[in-house]
């Protein structure tokens, strides 16, 4: 897709787009605008490293494990530190929380705090780092609702309170896709000018879907409802859509493809071990931001029984079953789960 331009034929940079969006919010101070621009800048820096991930200097693991018990890789650590440092001193953010840290991340005392809460998964799909496969960063922004320099309560807001959310996709090109609640727009980084250019304006899920994305290797651990639903997606019933399977194992990549081509990504609850009965993915860092984007693009996100955006988070690293994509496919998953469990 070619970069979108205005009627005069000018290319629309992300800065210009964010500024134009700001002008449609009466009373906007520009703080969110600048925060989004800081995020875009962090994404550019992370992209410059992920592009070089195959090189020996960055490849390799730190040997530590993160709060989820997963091995932390160097690039994760770099992405995590970059996102924090790009936002810790600006006076726009009151508090951050990262999938890589057990607790909330206060702004250092020497810096002023602001009115926004920033939650992020710095490098999603990190099991793919060694194999030169797409990775992503997922973020969401909320307003601070407590007094002072922010607290855990500020991070545990429902998805309905999201002010802005989006992701960076480090693929064949680097993309930034975001929404401030006025639709979804996608930007592609032009390495020649070092700027994100509007390439995918007003993204909506297409009416016809093409793909379903799930780790089918886990099928034996799924409920009957999820197994039967998967059969329906594959074409085993009269009204089946007969979709093709595509699974990268990087949530951002799987979501992005299905957003553009139409489809559903799901990571259901499974019975493997007690911890997985609530799914694998994190409500705050992964499910809520993508469910917000999906809804803004005409789709939706669900845990199989209720809309992800209506769940009250109880803890920072809470996991959830997750179904996200074209609305009719998500609703059909809910119907199978309601009927068969
Ligand atoms: P991560 O936080 O270690 O990157 O794990 C999250 C990833 C998602 O990107 C992806 O959708 C899922 O885990 C894949 O899990 P699995 O390997 O079990 O299929």
């Amino acid at each position: 897709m070619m970069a979108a331009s205005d009627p005069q034929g000018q290319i629309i940079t992300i800065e210009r787009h964010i500024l134009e969006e700001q002008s449609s919010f009466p009373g906007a101070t520009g703080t969110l605008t600048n925060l989004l621009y800081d995020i875009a800048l962090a994404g550019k820096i992370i992209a410059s490293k992920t592009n070089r991930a195959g090189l020996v200097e960055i490849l390799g693991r730190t040997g530590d494990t993160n709060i989820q018990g997963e091995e932390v890789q160097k690039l994760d650590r770099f992405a995590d530190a970059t996102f924090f440092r790009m936002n810790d001193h600006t006076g726009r953010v009151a508090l951050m929380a990262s999938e890589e840290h057990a607790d909330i991340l206060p702004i250092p005392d020497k810096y002023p705090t602001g009115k926004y809460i920033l939650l992020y998964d710095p490098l999603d799909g990190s099991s793919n780092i060694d194999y030169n496969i797409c990775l992503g960063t997922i973020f969401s922004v909320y307003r601070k609702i407590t007094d002072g320099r922010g607290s855990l309560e500020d991070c545990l807001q429902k998805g309905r309170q999201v002010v802005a959310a989006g992701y960076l996709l480090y693929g064949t090109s680097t993309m930034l896709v975001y929404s401030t609640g006025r639709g979804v727009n996608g930007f592609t980084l032009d390495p020649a000018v070092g700027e994100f250019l509007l390439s995918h304006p007003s993204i909506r899920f297409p009416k016809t879907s093409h793909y379903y994305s799930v780790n089918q290797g886990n099928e034996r651990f799924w409920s009957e409802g999820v197994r039967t639903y998967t059969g329906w997606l594959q074409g085993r019933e009269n009204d089946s859509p007969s979709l093709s399977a595509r699974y990268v194992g990087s949530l951002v990549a799987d979501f992005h493809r299905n957003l553009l081509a139409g489809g559903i990504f799901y990571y259901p609850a499974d019975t493997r071990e007690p911890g997985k009965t609530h799914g694998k993915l994190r409500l705050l860092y992964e499910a809520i931001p993508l469910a917000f984007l999906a809804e803004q693009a005409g789709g939706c996100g669900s845990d199989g029984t209720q809309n992800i955006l209506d769940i009250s988070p109880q803890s920072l690293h809470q996991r959830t079953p997750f179904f996200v994509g074209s609305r009719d496919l998500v609703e059909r998953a809910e119907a199978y789960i309601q009927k068969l469990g």
Side-chain angles (χ1 to χ4, degrees):
M1 191 179 294
M2 297 294 288
S5 54
D6 71 3
Q8 278 79 45
Q10 285 177 317
I11 298 290
I12 300 176
T13 64
I14 191 160
E15 185 176 18
R16 176 170 164 197
H17 189 268
I18 294 173
L19 275 169
E20 281 175 5
E21 276 216 321
Q22 181 194 323
S23 63
S24 57
F25 287 98
T29 60
T31 309
L32 180 63
T33 298
N34 285 317
L35 173 54
L36 291 170
Y37 200 65
D38 296 337
I39 289 170
L41 195 52
K44 279 194 234 176
I45 295 170
I46 296 169
S48 72
K49 283 282 183 195
T50 56
N51 286 345
R52 304 169 69 234
L55 300 174
V56 174
E57 59 171 287
I58 197 77
L59 191 65
R61 301 178 175 86
T62 61
D64 295 347
T65 52
N66 69 7
I67 177 65
Q68 319 290 350
E70 298 151 344
E71 207 169 9
V72 179
Q73 302 194 301
K74 275 186 184 172
L75 208 50
D76 304 45
R77 191 167 271 188
F78 175 82
D80 184 51
T82 301
F83 228 72
F84 184 78
R85 286 196 201 121
M86 292 305 293
N87 291 288
D88 69 351
H89 60 282
T90 60
R92 306 190 235 284
V93 176
L95 189 69
M96 288 182 257
S98 160
E99 195 213 298
E100 295 293 333
H101 295 268
D103 298 317
I104 52 175
L105 300 172
I107 298 298
D109 287 341
K110 61 183 174 186
Y111 298 130
T113 56
K115 59 181 175 183
Y116 290 111
I117 305 297
L118 177 58
L119 270 50
Y120 59 92
D121 177 357
L123 209 60
D124 187 77
S126 49
S127 66
N128 281 328
I129 292 175
D130 284 355
Y131 312 112
N132 211 357
I133 294 172
C134 289
L135 303 163
T137 298
I138 308 173
F139 63 89
S140 52
V141 177
Y142 298 81
R143 282 191 189 83
K144 184 167 73 76
I145 51 171
T146 62
D147 294 332
R149 290 172 78 89
S151 68
L152 178 61
E153 192 186 335
D154 292 300
C155 299
L156 301 181
Q157 298 186 57
K158 280 188 185 179
R160 294 280 169 217
Q161 307 307 320
V162 166
V163 173
Y167 57 81
L168 286 130
L169 174 63
Y170 312 110
T172 45
S173 297
T174 298
M175 283 196 70
L176 171 61
V177 176
Y178 85 98
S179 174
T180 54
R182 298 169 52 86
V184 180
N185 289 285
F187 300 79
T188 304
L189 182 64
D190 182 342
V193 293
E195 190 54 287
F196 284 105
L197 306 179
L198 182 61
S199 54
H200 296 68
S202 304
I203 303 173
R204 307 279 300 171
F205 281 99
K207 284 202 172 60
T208 307
S209 295
H210 286 96
Y211 300 120
Y212 76 97
S213 308
V214 68
N215 185 341
Q216 203 107 24
N218 295 333
E219 183 165 2
R220 65 194 184 285
F221 304 116
W222 296 342
S223 69
E224 189 182 346
V226 173
R227 272 203 298 268
T228 313
Y229 170 64
T230 306
W232 175 79
L233 290 171
Q234 292 166 335
R236 293 190 194 177
E237 296 182 37
N238 286 338
D239 62 343
S240 284
S242 299
L243 305 182
S244 288
R246 292 281 189 283
Y247 190 69
V248 176
S250 278
L251 177 59
V252 172
D254 283 312
F255 176 85
H256 182 73
R257 181 197 50 246
N258 295 345
L259 174 63
L260 298 185
I264 182 167
F265 168 94
Y266 50 110
Y267 207 113
D270 68 42
T271 56
R272 243 176 310 177
E273 49 187 283
K276 293 274 168 47
T277 54
H278 298 294
K280 174 184 179 186
L281 300 176
R282 292 79 175 170
L283 177 62
L284 289 177
Y285 303 108
E286 293 162 325
I288 287 178
L290 296 188
F292 176 80
L293 288 172
E295 212 160 284
Q296 286 295 317
C300 64
S302 169
D303 71 353
T305 60
Q306 64 176 320
N307 192 304
I308 286 285
L309 301 181
D310 292 327
I311 298 175
S312 289
Q314 302 300 309
S315 64
L316 274 184
H317 294 279
Q318 184 173 337
R319 293 175 192 264
T320 181
F322 190 34
F323 300 76
V324 68
S326 302
R327 181 172 288 273
D328 56 328
L329 300 180
V330 174
E331 286 174 352
R332 187 61 84 110
E334 287 177 332
Y336 272 103
I337 289 168
Q338 190 179 25
K339 190 168 153 206
L340 301 170

